[in-house]
């Protein structure tokens, strides 16, 4: 009798709760319908509870209106105004990952403190170039997939497998308007590994990659100084020097230089340095600046005489 009475009370309480939730949702929709006046021709005030625009084939619409490649968005109403510099290279001591922190929207600097390195796990790092939201979301999603793999297989995922997971995900959304140019860096049983993955599902293995609007300047520095036998301080110096050159020549790169070093024990953060300081360290060092003439002192002595 007690159990039956308890079940009856529970059903009544559950039903009352569900009825209350339904009534609240209905009243909320009625309020929105009363407050928002929207017509199909008015694009400036879409309803907050509906997806807009509503099309029959979202994939085809995104492909026609959300091109992300260079010179593909001239006629589009939505343009991807992006710019950054990210780089990574392998050497005997591991992998160096060096990025800037500037986020731009066209000629407008939106932020100087963006974290463009995503920590996937203690042995894997991903970089961001392109759309910040796309890179951030899908690389965090990759972290979930990698953790699931570890729980199922009782071992850490390889860098190759992790990059393949991301490439497979990108291939499923190919042509849907994503903007991503990422690097997956880490250390596994085969040693230091570096892969490039973009929004087309392209996946490349290499020893050095530079991605972003300032990548050509960074490549020039890296290609001129990279050696497999670099010491760790030399590799760190090279990573910072490349970002300094890109931030100097590319208006869409700058802010802070965040640098990571990946070894067999995992990744370590090597610190953040203002790119303005890097400019006076590598591009225009103080030792090369001419001495200021003491014109004022000589003039005062002449006037006194």
């Amino acid at each position: 009798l007690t159990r039956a009475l308890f079940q009856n009370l529970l059903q009544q309480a559950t039903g009352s709760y569900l009825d209350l939730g339904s009534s609240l949702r209905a009243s909320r929709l009625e309020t929105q319908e009363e407050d928002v006046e929207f017509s199909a021709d008015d694009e400036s005030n879409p309803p907050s509870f509906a997806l807009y625009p509503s099309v029959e084939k979202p994939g085809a619409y995104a492909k026609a209106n959300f091109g992300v490649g260079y010179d593909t968005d001239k006629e589009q109403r939505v343009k991807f105004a992006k710019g950054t510099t990210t780089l990574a290279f392998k050497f005997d001591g591991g992998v160096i990952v060096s990025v800037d922190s500037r986020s731009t929207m066209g000629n407008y600097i939106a932020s100087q403190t963006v974290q463009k390195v995503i920590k996937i796990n203690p042995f894997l790092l991903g970089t961001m170039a392109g759309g910040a939201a796309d890179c951030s979301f899908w690389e965090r999603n990759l972290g979930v997939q990698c953790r699931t793999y570890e729980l199922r297989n009782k071992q850490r995922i390889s860098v190759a497998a992790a990059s393949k997971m991301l490439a497979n995900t990108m291939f499923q959304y190919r042509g849907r308007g994503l903007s991503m140019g990422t690097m997956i860096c880490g250390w596994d049983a085969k040693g230091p590994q570096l892969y490039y993955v973009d929004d087309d599902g392209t996946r490349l293995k290499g020893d050095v990659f530079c991605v972003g609007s300032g990548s050509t300047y960074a490549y020039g520095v890296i290609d001129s100084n990279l050696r497999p036998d670099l010491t760790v301080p030399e590799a760190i110096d090279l990573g910072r020097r490349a970002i300094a050159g890109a931030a100097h020549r590319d208006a869409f790169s700058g802010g802070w230089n965040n640098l990571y070093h990946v070894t067999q024990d995992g990744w370590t953060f090597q610190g953040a340095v203002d790119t303005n300081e890097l400019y006076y360290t590598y591009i225009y060092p103080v030792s090369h600046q001419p001495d200021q003439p003491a014109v004022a002192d000589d003039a005062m002595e002449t006037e006194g005489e």
Side-chain angles (χ1 to χ4, degrees):
L1 177 63
T2 305
R3 179 178 299 177
L5 179 61
F6 175 76
Q7 291 179 349
N8 187 22
L9 292 174
L10 180 62
Q11 291 176 357
Q12 292 179 4
T14 304
S16 300
Y17 177 78
L18 294 177
D19 293 340
L20 176 61
S22 300
S23 61
L24 289 175
R25 285 193 296 270
S27 62
R28 187 181 299 114
L29 288 176
E30 291 176 359
T31 303
Q32 289 179 344
E33 291 176 353
E34 293 175 358
D35 295 341
V36 179
E37 297 181 359
F38 176 74
S39 63
D41 298 330
D42 184 11
E43 298 180 356
S44 62
N45 188 26
S48 59
F49 55 87
L51 294 176
Y52 183 81
S54 178
V55 294
E56 294 182 359
K57 298 180 179 180
Y61 181 86
K63 187 174 182 179
N65 295 276
F66 294 95
V68 298
Y70 291 104
D71 294 329
T72 63
D73 58 358
K74 292 181 178 179
E75 305 301 326
Q76 296 176 184
R77 297 183 61 184
V78 177
K79 296 180 174 59
F80 283 85
K82 51 189 180 293
T84 185
T85 301
T86 62
L87 64 92
F89 60 86
K90 292 167 50 178
F91 68 110
D92 293 343
V95 182
I96 292 293
V97 183
S98 187
V99 301
D100 75 321
S101 66
R102 177 172 292 179
S103 174
T104 58
M105 295 186 293
N107 295 325
Y108 174 72
I109 298 177
S111 175
Q112 290 276 67
T113 57
V114 176
Q115 297 295 327
K116 297 183 181 181
V117 176
I118 305 297
K119 291 85 170 177
I120 300 172
N121 66 33
F123 293 85
L124 273 176
L125 293 174
T127 63
M128 294 170 49
D134 296 339
C135 295
S136 179
F137 177 84
W138 289 112
E139 289 187 40
R140 284 179 169 83
N141 175 267
L142 175 61
V144 174
Q145 296 184 57
C146 292
R147 180 56 177 162
T148 303
Y149 176 93
E150 293 176 0
L151 293 173
R152 288 175 176 172
N153 297 277
K154 310 301 181 183
Q155 63 179 359
R156 194 171 77 240
I157 191 171
S158 66
V159 183
S163 64
K164 188 62 176 178
M165 285 181 174
L166 182 60
N168 289 342
T169 303
M170 291 299 99
F171 191 82
Q172 296 177 31
Y173 289 89
R174 189 174 184 177
R176 300 299 180 91
L178 294 180
S179 176
M180 291 178 59
T182 71
M183 293 173 284
I184 304 300
C185 324
W187 191 295
D188 56 24
K190 296 182 179 180
Q193 303 292 325
L194 175 59
Y195 288 84
Y196 167 81
V197 180
D198 66 14
D199 51 73
D200 283 334
T202 301
R203 173 174 170 267
L204 301 173
K205 181 179 180 181
D207 295 331
V208 55
F209 289 112
C210 300
V211 187
S213 57
S215 60
T216 53
Y217 309 109
Y219 266 126
V221 178
I222 296 294
D223 290 342
S224 301
N225 299 277
L226 181 60
R227 306 188 320 272
D229 60 346
L230 287 174
T231 64
V232 173
E234 289 175 338
I236 293 175
D237 182 82
L238 178 57
R240 296 204 187 279
R241 182 186 297 272
I243 292 296
H248 174 50
R249 295 296 183 183
D250 177 36
F252 306 103
S253 301
W256 294 79
N257 170 222
N258 295 305
L259 192 142
Y260 293 78
H261 180 209
V262 185
T263 66
Q264 60 183 354
D265 298 322
W267 55 262
T268 56
F269 179 54
Q270 300 297 319
V273 180
D274 192 338
T275 54
N276 289 327
E277 296 181 10
L278 296 181
Y279 172 80
Y280 290 108
T281 302
Y282 299 110
I283 308 301
Y284 193 54
V286 177
S287 59
H288 291 181
Q289 298 179 20
D291 296 333
Q292 296 296 329
V295 178
D297 295 340
D298 294 342
M300 292 177 62
E301 292 178 1
T302 304
E303 292 176 359
E305 293 177 356

